[in-house]
């Protein structure tokens, strides 16, 4: 049986306890993971702190940048190993991980190396009453040891989205991957060693949240800042933990994202984009669409086309190139998603397609499979129209005016993302300005430029990361004033 170690101070280490990692495909145990206890987490934080004062802390920016370029290149060199590990943990189609998860895992190191290399600091000449003046300038220092708590849906992508900028800024890090997806973060430890990242700079501790590595890390007073991606409830718990010691947090949390389709849209593009935003990664993308509003004149046509698209998706295993949709991450998540499928029925939804579990052959029958599902006919107050499900499903309803659809789209505790489909760009701008969300796509979805601010409004997040915005979180700014 494969064993997955923690990675502390440049070494792969076991611990007193293990937990099982099961395959989403068939529920078989695929690895045993060493769960970090409080002492292990402490050792990781201590190693990270010591590394700040070691060779890492003394590197000039250009050398740090070179090392991070090396990390990106090494991920690309070992691309297939990362691909295998990510798909084994998540069950996602290899075609998806090949195009998104693993390339972004590498790109996240390169882009933030470039950002740190190219970002100037502020400088002001100041006048003073004696006429001699003063110079003000700002410096950026690392914040110190950063704790990174990660989810399971895009494991390498989302972990490196934080690790890249944290390391580029000169911090050291302790990563707590999701208990569901321990492999790629651990593999990255090998990469760090092989390219010469000093020991203690990158550490990985495995385990769960409360009473386990997640809690031990976020409550550890040796951690100077905490960055988190995951559910809003968990983010709130982490914020409470961070209050002790008044430590900064960056939180990327849940969503209940709308797609708004106007009758004047490019119909095929809107269907293609909405298909992706609802079903890609089996609906387990925080930016994904779960509420679709379609202007009445094209409502029936849109529903028919999305139904046809959903029914054409091949449900299958990662290495089948025809697979369009894989399983959910776990049995536990399957139970949660199916409970929403049942709720939709109970609350009177019309099921356009799906609504249950697909028939799978052999041992796949034990996997975390659910059918892509579309509902109609519910009011905006229905449970599946309000709560984040994080599965391959959406509710579609008609609308008649911009004012109406803006009000309905904004009627949520969340504010992560929205997509608007229209050929009238004036309307696109007007709508984008009025939507309460951190990210609005017009005529696209998940089109990313990593230099731009990323994050959620309302209960979807606190803070923004991406490009120079990441520097605001991962560095401490100091103003130095020199009297002349
Ligand atoms: P989760 O909140 O259950 O877990 C995330 C991580 O937090 C895991 O590593 C978990 O072990 C840890 N954790 C749980 N409780 C903790 C605690 N009390 N203290 C410290 N750590 C704790 O989320 P998930 O189920 O892994 O991911 C799905 C959720 O993530 C969805 O809500 C989704 O919207 C959200 N998400 C948001 C973004 C974004 O960018 N906004 C991106 C991806 C996922
Ligand atoms: O693309 C990114 O940088 C990002 N943070 C994506 C988040 C996806 C959520 O599931």
């Amino acid at each position: 049986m494969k064993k997955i170690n923690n990675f502390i101070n440049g070494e792969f280490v076991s611990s007193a306890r293990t937990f099982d990692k099961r395959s989403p495909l068939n529920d078989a145990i695929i690895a045993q993971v060493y769960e970090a206890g409080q002492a292990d987490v402490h050792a990781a934080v201590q190693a990270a702190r010591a590394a700040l004062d070691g060779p890492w802390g003394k590197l000039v920016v250009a050398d740090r940048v070179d090392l991070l370029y090396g990390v990106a290149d090494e991920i690309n060199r070992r691309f297939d190993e990362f691909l295998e590990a990510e798909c084994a943990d998540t069950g996602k189609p290899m075609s998806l991980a090949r195009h998104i998860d693993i390339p972004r895992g590498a790109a996240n190191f390169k882009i933030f190396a470039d950002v740190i290399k190219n970002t100037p600091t502020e400088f002001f000449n100041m006048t003073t009453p004696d006429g001699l003046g003063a110079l003000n300038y700002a410096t950026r220092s690392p914040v110190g040891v950063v704790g990174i708590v990660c989810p399971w849906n895009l494991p390498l992508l989302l972990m490196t989205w934080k690790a890249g900028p944290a390391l580029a800024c000169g911090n050291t890090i302790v990563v707590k991957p999701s208990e569901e997806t321990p492999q790629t973060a651990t593999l990255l430890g090998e990469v760090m060693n092989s390219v010469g990242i000093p020991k203690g700079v990158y550490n990985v501790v495995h385990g769960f949240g409360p009473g386990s590595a997640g809690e031990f890390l976020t409550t550890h007073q040796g951690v100077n800042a905490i960055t988190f991606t995951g559910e809003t409830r968990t983010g709130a718990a982490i914020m409470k933990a961070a209050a002790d010691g008044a430590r900064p947090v960056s939180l990327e949390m849940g969503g209940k994202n709308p797609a708004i389709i106007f009758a004047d849209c490019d119909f095929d593009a809107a269907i293609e984009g909405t298909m992706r935003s609802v079903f890609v990664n089996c609906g387990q993308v925080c930016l994904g669409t779960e509420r679709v509003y379609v202007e009445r004149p094209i409502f029936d046509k849109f529903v028919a086309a999305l139904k046809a698209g959903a029914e054409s998706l091949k449900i299958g295993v990662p290495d089948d190139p025809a697979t369009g949709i894989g399983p959910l991450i776990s049995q536990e998540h399957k139970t949660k998603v199916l409970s929403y499928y049942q709720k939709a029925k109970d609350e009177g939804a019309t099921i356009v397609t799906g609504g249950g579990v697909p028939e799978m052959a052999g041992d796949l029958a034990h996997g975390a499979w659910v059918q892509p599902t579309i509902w109609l006919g519910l009011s905006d107050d229905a449970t599946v129209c309000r709560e984040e499900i994080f599965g391959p499903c959406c509710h579609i309803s008609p609308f008649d005016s911009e004012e109406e659809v803006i009000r309905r789209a904004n009627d949520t505790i969340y504010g992560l993302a929205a997509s608007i489909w229209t050929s009238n760009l004036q309307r696109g701008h007007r709508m984008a300005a009025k939507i309460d969300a951190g990210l609005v796509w017009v005529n696209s979805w998940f089109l990313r430029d990593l230099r731009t601010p990323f994050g959620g409004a309302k209960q979807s997040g606190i803070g923004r990361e991406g490009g120079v915005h990441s520097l605001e979180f991962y560095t401490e700014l100091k103003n130095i004033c020199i009297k002349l």
Side-chain angles (χ1 to χ4, degrees):
M1 175 65 58
K2 185 170 192 172
K3 302 267 197 236
I4 298 178
N5 286 298
N6 298 291
F7 183 68
I8 299 175
N9 206 23
E11 289 180 5
F12 291 94
V13 292
S14 63
S15 61
R17 283 209 324 219
T18 59
F19 61 92
D20 295 335
K21 164 60 198 162
R22 290 175 181 270
S23 168
L25 303 176
N26 55 14
D27 210 33
I29 298 173
I30 55 170
Q32 283 177 329
V33 187
Y34 285 104
E35 181 180 359
Q38 194 139 26
D40 305 306
V41 173
H42 181 65
V45 174
Q46 293 290 92
R49 175 133 322 270
L52 283 170
D53 299 326
W56 180 248
K58 298 183 177 69
L59 286 179
V60 296
V61 170
D63 291 340
R64 207 158 69 216
V65 162
D66 281 350
L67 279 173
L68 295 181
Y69 264 70
V71 172
D73 290 344
E74 188 65 4
I75 292 173
N76 282 329
R77 201 183 65 75
R78 298 180 65 174
F79 195 97
D80 288 347
E81 287 172 77
F82 278 96
L83 187 66
E84 291 278 338
E86 202 73 312
C87 294
D89 273 356
T90 60
K92 69 175 70 191
M94 280 192 166
S95 55
L96 176 66
R98 186 175 285 119
H99 287 109
I100 296 187
D101 300 64
I102 313 305
R104 268 293 303 278
N108 285 334
F109 288 101
K110 278 216 162 101
I111 180 92
F112 289 105
D114 289 339
V115 169
I116 201 73
K117 197 168 62 179
N118 295 315
T119 303
T121 54
E122 296 163 71
F123 179 95
F124 294 102
N125 269 319
M126 184 186 172
T127 51
T128 52
D130 64 8
L132 295 175
L135 299 180
N136 276 276
Y137 61 94
T139 59
R140 285 186 187 276
S141 327
V143 288
V145 176
V146 179
I148 304 181
V149 181
C150 309
W152 43 257
N153 61 323
L154 302 165
L156 184 70
L157 186 160
L158 289 173
M159 186 271 277
T160 54
W161 169 243
K162 311 286 196 171
L167 295 180
C169 291
N171 300 285
T172 58
I173 60 181
V174 181
V175 172
K176 210 298 277 171
S178 167
E179 53 275 30
E180 300 291 353
T181 50
Q183 297 203 52
T184 46
T186 313
L187 192 52
L188 192 59
E190 290 182 22
V191 167
M192 295 289 174
N193 279 350
S194 67
V195 304
I197 297 284
K199 63 182 186 164
V201 171
Y202 173 82
N203 304 275
V204 180
V205 291
H206 290 296
F208 304 82
S212 184
E215 181 184 325
F216 302 149
L217 180 61
T218 52
T219 54
H220 197 297
Q221 291 302 309
V223 173
N224 301 102
I226 302 164
T227 181
F228 165 78
T229 308
E231 278 191 22
T232 296
R233 249 193 327 243
T234 313
I238 287 179
M239 208 172 167
K240 282 188 190 144
D244 201 1
R247 294 164 305 146
V249 287
S250 171
L251 305 177
E252 291 178 8
M253 307 190 284
K256 188 73 186 172
N257 309 305
I260 300 172
I261 324 286
F262 284 94
D264 67 358
C265 69
D266 173 336
F267 188 82
D268 292 344
I271 288 291
E272 187 277 331
T274 309
M275 277 293 296
R276 275 193 298 122
S277 73
V278 176
F279 299 118
V280 79
N281 209 37
C282 203
Q284 303 164 118
V285 179
C286 61
L287 308 163
T289 299
E290 292 190 357
R291 296 181 291 148
V292 183
Y293 302 97
V294 182
E295 209 172 9
R296 203 172 296 272
I298 61 163
F299 183 76
D300 291 343
K301 182 179 168 195
F302 187 92
V303 171
L306 204 70
K307 172 181 187 317
E311 290 174 356
S312 73
L313 286 171
K314 179 168 188 245
I315 301 175
V317 295
D319 57 359
D320 179 349
T323 294
I325 193 164
L328 294 169
I329 188 68
S330 64
Q331 291 300 324
E332 188 188 345
H333 193 49
K334 176 180 172 183
T335 303
K336 176 180 162 188
V337 171
L338 288 179
S339 78
Y340 282 107
Y341 284 16
Q342 185 59 45
K343 259 232 153 78
K345 262 191 213 158
D346 296 345
E347 294 183 7
T350 299
I351 299 168
V352 176
T353 188
V357 174
E359 267 186 38
M360 303 298 288
D363 67 339
L364 296 182
H366 305 294
W369 311 93
V370 296
Q371 290 173 324
T373 295
I374 299 172
W375 303 290
L376 302 180
L378 292 172
S379 77
D380 292 351
D381 289 338
T383 310
V384 298
C385 297
R386 301 208 73 77
E387 297 182 11
E388 183 187 47
I389 302 169
F390 224 52
C393 52
C394 67
H395 179 265
I396 316 183
S397 60
F399 72 88
D400 294 299
S401 72
E402 281 183 26
E403 295 67 30
E404 173 204 337
V405 77
I406 286 166
R407 178 182 47 73
R408 293 172 65 196
N410 285 340
D411 180 18
T412 167
I413 59 166
Y414 295 110
L416 186 54
S419 48
I420 296 164
W421 298 85
T422 175
S423 56
N424 176 344
L425 275 188
Q426 276 182 318
R427 170 158 51 205
H429 286 289
R430 193 162 61 234
M431 294 286 296
K434 289 184 180 158
I435 293 286
D436 299 335
L439 300 127
V440 179
W441 280 287
V442 177
N443 297 330
S444 64
W445 177 75
F446 208 165
L447 183 58
R448 294 277 290 115
D449 180 327
L450 305 188
R451 296 168 299 184
T452 58
F454 180 99
K458 301 199 275 188
Q459 293 189 33
S460 288
I462 292 186
R464 294 292 182 274
E465 298 197 32
V468 294
H469 308 281
S470 294
L471 306 192
E472 299 307 314
F473 183 71
Y474 294 106
T475 59
E476 193 71 68
L477 270 171
K478 184 187 292 177
N479 173 42
I480 298 173
C481 177
I482 311 278
K483 176 74 180 70
L484 298 176

